[in-house]
Amino acid sequence: MMQKEKIGNVWFYSESGETADTAMPPDIQQAARQMEEIIRSCKEEDYHAQITERRNYTVMYQLAESRANIVEWLHIPEHAKVLELGAGCGAIASALLKKGAGVTCQEENPAFARLNALRHQRLEDGRLTVYAMPYEQCEPHLADDYDMAVLVQLPAAHGEAQNLLRNLRRHLKPDGILVLATENKFGLKYWAGNKEPHTHRYFSGLEQDGVCLYSRTGIQKLLASAGFGWQEFYYPYPGHLFALDIFSDRHLPKKGDLAYSIANYEDDRLILFDEQKVFDSIIEEGQFPFFSNSYLCLAGMGSPDKQCQETVYARYAADRSRKFAVRTGIAGGRVWKYPIYPEGAAHILHMEQAYQQLSRQYAHTGLKFNRCIMHTAASQAPDGKAVAAEFEFIHGEALQEQARQAIAAGSLKKVFDILHQMVQYIRNGRNSRPFEMTPEFRSVFGETAQASVLEHAACSGVSDIDLILPNILVADDGTWHVIDYEWTFFFPVPQNFMIYRTLFFLHQENPQHKELSMEALLQETGIPAQEAQVYEQMEQGFQQYVTGGLVPYREMVNLLERRFMNIAALEAEYDRVMAENELLKGKGIWKAARKIKKKLTGN
């Protein structure tokens, strides 16, 4: 029998006699208790700090706001009626509710469902309804006029998945949309050594060993058989659970775009090859959609022209302080930047001033800054945000890619030519002034030790410290276009620090090249080693400023103590140990060691 209660302003339905705690494994029970502590004592903006402190994957998965990146970019009309299945503790529901939607959640785990209600209990009355039971039990009570249904993860049994999708279709309006996110059975990460998430075994999805996962073709057939006449695929990277980039068939990744592959938060992994290099080869062959780690599919029965999202690409810079968290999107042939949280509006608004002042400062150089147009009305931006910055979409090749190609071809001269040109632009920008330790400098870069080293450093009055190779595109006519200048400051910053950052990221990409070591690059650009030490401290201070002291989620792999087993390194270590054993055998020590082992172990 179904029971109905009110948790704050949330309607909560559960089965009689629910036994959430006893049905859960001890580690999940512990995670549930930790999450309840967090939800009861913290605001949502404080969850990140709590997640990194607890170092528990279940807590991260259920509470991290970045889980919602998979839907946050979607344009969802205010007051839309949304159904979410497998809602857990409400990470995705939270983003849907912030968009003004009314949400109905189904979650089989009663403890997680109750935490979802507790998390949102202060919402306006009636905005959220939670069913704490299997889908089959709550399905008869669901409405038949949802604007959207959200399903993150297909059931791992073919018949079950097909029946679920058919049933969901009946609960959507004729022009309703299904949002389906799931892993790709042929995702490159599974070839590269990640465990399959359902069985926690290597290659079980590829081998169809005890689990039914789907390829893009399989998902297309499954949706078509369930009555979804149109489908549009998107490609979350590095995966659909914690997406940083969302590509589409209208905007596929280019070589060099997929540089963040170590994201095995849930388990240990093998490292069989360099995923970035293999992805680059796959992209070159035009096979990325087949090998994408995950899929996000929009599907429906109505006209695809009306339902198609205008945004063709989204990138999240969310591992930051909330006042700096930004989503970049491509829509209508233009580039847009939005604050992810209301606190970030000022950061977006400052980009217009940065454009104007940088354009004046570098007007006599060959650097061109992508024009910024600010929108401060929700009706002016594609996704209805109240604050948005609009930029031209520049066609060109990034200096980073030109450098990569030159390095691969063994033409380091071209790399240094690029660096020398950039150095010339930075050091010849007008409005140069001497260094001054200002309060603004301290707030961004911290109390830099040995700041006296910078006493005679030439500074720019307006400083785009992110003037690095990926942020400069070269057009067909050879013009250098700066496409991103959000980290622009209006106080004296050493020009050599801007150059140092370019060198640092170039070296990080190419640590194996002696000619591109930091020592060699600093010498090439005339930056003294003592000065570079100060810039290293400044960079650390800047990263603290950007993150607000929080540990980025991308580093949670280390905090969760996930192991990476590099097969090539293990093979080399095995060969070394065997070679040592051969030497021991010749000296009679190996035989003695075996006798000792036999005594100790009986084997």
Side-chain angles (χ1 to χ4, degrees):
M1 182 177 176
M2 186 181 293
Q3 295 181 338
K4 178 181 178 181
E5 62 180 294
K6 203 82 175 286
I7 299 178
N9 289 326
V10 177
W11 284 111
F12 185 82
Y13 296 86
S14 61
E15 295 177 289
S16 59
E18 71 176 63
T19 55
D21 286 345
T22 56
M24 291 190 295
D27 59 327
I28 304 299
Q29 291 182 40
Q30 181 185 17
R33 288 193 291 271
Q34 290 183 8
M35 288 188 289
E36 184 172 358
E37 290 173 11
I38 294 169
I39 290 170
R40 287 189 180 280
S41 62
C42 301
K43 296 179 180 178
E44 201 165 56
E45 53 263 38
D46 298 324
Y47 285 4
H48 189 144
Q50 290 292 321
I51 289 166
T52 51
E53 180 181 326
R54 309 280 175 152
R55 303 187 180 194
N56 182 297
Y57 173 70
T58 300
V59 175
M60 176 186 173
Y61 177 81
Q62 294 293 342
L63 296 187
E65 289 177 289
S66 59
R67 277 279 319 287
N69 291 353
I70 201 74
V71 299
E72 191 277 339
W73 65 281
L74 293 171
H75 179 50
I76 301 173
E78 194 173 6
H79 307 304
K81 195 171 179 180
V82 182
L83 171 65
E84 183 193 359
L85 303 191
C89 297
I92 291 174
S94 179
L96 296 169
L97 290 161
K98 287 170 186 173
K99 287 177 173 287
V103 182
T104 298
C105 288
Q106 172 274 329
E107 168 54 45
E108 190 167 346
N109 184 312
F112 289 180
R114 192 170 288 276
L115 289 173
N116 183 4
L118 192 65
R119 178 177 187 167
H120 299 109
Q121 63 180 318
R122 293 183 180 85
L123 283 171
E124 300 93 332
D125 199 6
R127 288 278 311 283
L128 176 63
T129 299
V130 178
Y131 287 92
M133 61 192 68
Y135 177 72
E136 294 76 14
Q137 270 68 59
C138 74
E139 189 273 331
H141 304 279
L142 299 177
D144 293 327
D145 61 346
Y146 291 103
D147 297 291
M148 179 177 286
V150 178
L151 175 61
V152 176
Q153 198 62 58
L154 274 171
H158 180 77
E160 184 182 345
Q162 191 172 62
N163 291 336
L164 175 62
L165 292 174
R166 284 175 176 167
N167 189 280
L168 273 178
R169 181 177 58 79
R170 295 197 293 271
H171 289 284
L172 287 168
K173 289 180 178 178
D175 61 349
I177 297 176
L178 170 68
V179 179
L180 169 64
T182 191
E183 63 272 305
N184 170 19
K185 69 181 292 183
F186 294 125
L188 187 66
K189 70 178 186 178
Y190 299 122
W191 301 90
N194 277 267
K195 292 180 181 179
E196 186 280 317
H198 296 276
T199 64
H200 299 286
R201 298 197 302 268
Y202 296 112
F203 313 120
S204 61
L206 293 169
E207 297 172 348
Q208 299 190 93
D209 178 17
V211 65
C212 181
L213 300 183
Y214 298 93
S215 64
R216 172 171 169 152
T217 301
I219 294 171
Q220 287 173 323
K221 291 178 179 178
L222 194 63
L223 288 169
S225 68
F228 291 95
W230 69 266
Q231 306 159 19
E232 183 165 13
F233 276 77
Y234 296 83
Y235 310 101
Y237 176 82
H240 66 293
L241 299 183
F242 298 95
L244 296 177
D245 296 85
I246 298 173
F247 298 94
S248 71
D249 288 318
R250 293 172 285 163
H251 186 91
L252 291 168
K254 299 186 291 294
K255 289 176 65 176
D257 283 348
L258 308 181
Y260 179 64
S261 297
I262 303 298
N264 54 303
Y265 303 110
E266 67 276 14
D267 216 328
D268 300 335
R269 65 160 294 176
L270 303 174
I271 297 179
L272 301 180
F273 51 75
D274 187 324
E275 285 171 69
Q276 181 180 355
K277 290 180 180 178
V278 177
F279 258 135
D280 282 348
S281 298
I282 287 169
I283 290 166
E284 199 168 37
E285 295 290 334
Q287 298 299 316
F288 171 74
F290 183 83
F291 288 101
S292 174
N293 288 332
S294 297
Y295 294 123
L296 170 64
C297 181
L298 307 186
M301 297 82 72
S303 169
D305 294 335
K306 293 182 180 179
Q307 306 300 336
C308 188
Q309 293 288 319
E310 189 175 0
T311 298
V312 301
Y313 168 71
R315 163 167 284 185
Y316 285 87
D319 270 351
R320 301 173 172 182
S321 165
R322 291 170 70 91
K323 64 182 179 180
F324 298 131
V326 170
R327 167 166 56 87
T328 302
I330 298 176
R334 310 289 286 179
V335 178
W336 301 81
K337 285 186 180 290
Y338 309 94
I340 296 176
Y341 308 107
E343 301 95 310
H347 184 60
I348 296 294
L349 289 168
H350 111 285
M351 294 181 193
E352 186 176 34
Q353 183 184 4
Y355 162 71
Q356 293 169 350
Q357 295 201 31
L358 287 168
S359 296
R360 284 196 293 268
Q361 180 168 284
Y362 291 95
H364 66 294
T365 74
L367 278 182
K368 302 297 179 186
F369 289 81
N370 196 1
R371 184 183 178 191
C372 175
I373 302 172
M374 197 60 58
H375 299 278
T376 55
S379 60
Q380 297 173 333
D383 74 343
K385 287 275 189 179
V387 174
E390 176 190 353
F391 306 86
E392 182 183 356
F393 183 86
I394 303 293
H395 294 275
E397 187 174 51
L399 285 179
Q400 181 184 42
E401 182 56 28
Q402 289 194 355
R404 281 178 180 154
Q405 292 174 10
I407 292 167
S411 178
L412 290 181
K413 180 182 182 302
K414 183 173 181 180
V415 178
F416 289 121
D417 287 345
I418 291 171
L419 289 178
H420 291 155
Q421 184 65 67
M422 180 172 284
V423 168
Q424 183 180 344
Y425 285 150
I426 292 173
R427 289 179 177 162
N428 284 292
R430 290 174 184 170
N431 197 20
S432 180
R433 61 181 66 181
F435 175 73
E436 178 185 357
M437 179 62 77
T438 63
E440 295 86 356
F441 182 96
R442 288 190 178 91
S443 71
V444 175
F445 300 109
E447 287 288 351
T448 304
Q450 299 178 316
S452 58
V453 172
L454 306 179
E455 185 177 357
H456 302 292
C459 299
S460 294
V462 182
S463 304
D464 172 12
I465 70 166
D466 222 15
L467 204 59
I468 57 178
L469 302 184
N471 289 338
I472 301 176
L473 299 186
V474 183
D476 291 340
D477 63 0
T479 304
W480 285 20
H481 292 269
V482 182
I483 59 171
D484 193 349
Y485 41 82
E486 65 171 304
W487 298 113
T488 296
F489 300 106
F490 308 117
F491 55 81
V493 176
Q495 294 169 350
N496 278 352
F497 176 65
M498 297 157 65
I499 297 167
Y500 169 88
R501 298 191 84 240
T502 298
L503 306 182
F504 176 80
F505 291 116
L506 177 62
H507 165 65
Q508 288 290 102
E509 269 213 342
N510 303 278
Q512 73 279 14
H513 285 276
K514 184 179 179 181
E515 300 89 339
L516 299 178
S517 67
M518 280 303 292
E519 293 78 9
L521 292 172
L522 291 169
Q523 186 174 0
E524 185 72 25
T525 52
I527 299 177
Q530 189 177 13
E531 199 174 314
Q533 291 175 1
V534 178
Y535 297 146
E536 183 179 357
Q537 296 170 20
M538 285 176 59
E539 178 64 20
Q540 293 170 0
F542 174 63
Q543 294 301 329
Q544 285 288 311
Y545 172 74
V546 172
T547 62
L550 296 174
V551 178
Y553 282 130
R554 63 180 179 270
E555 295 180 14
M556 280 296 291
V557 170
N558 299 320
L559 292 183
L560 293 169
E561 298 181 344
R562 300 308 186 210
R563 294 180 300 168
F564 318 106
M565 291 164 280
N566 188 309
I567 294 300
L570 288 174
E571 182 183 29
E573 178 66 10
Y574 175 81
D575 290 342
R576 184 190 66 78
V577 171
M578 291 303 294
E580 288 184 357
N581 288 346
E582 288 299 321
L583 290 174
L584 290 173
K585 286 179 185 178
K587 297 180 178 179
I589 300 174
W590 182 243
K591 191 179 293 185
R594 281 191 296 179
K595 287 181 180 179
I596 295 170
K597 180 186 175 185
K598 189 173 182 180
K599 287 181 180 179
L600 292 172
T601 64
N603 296 320

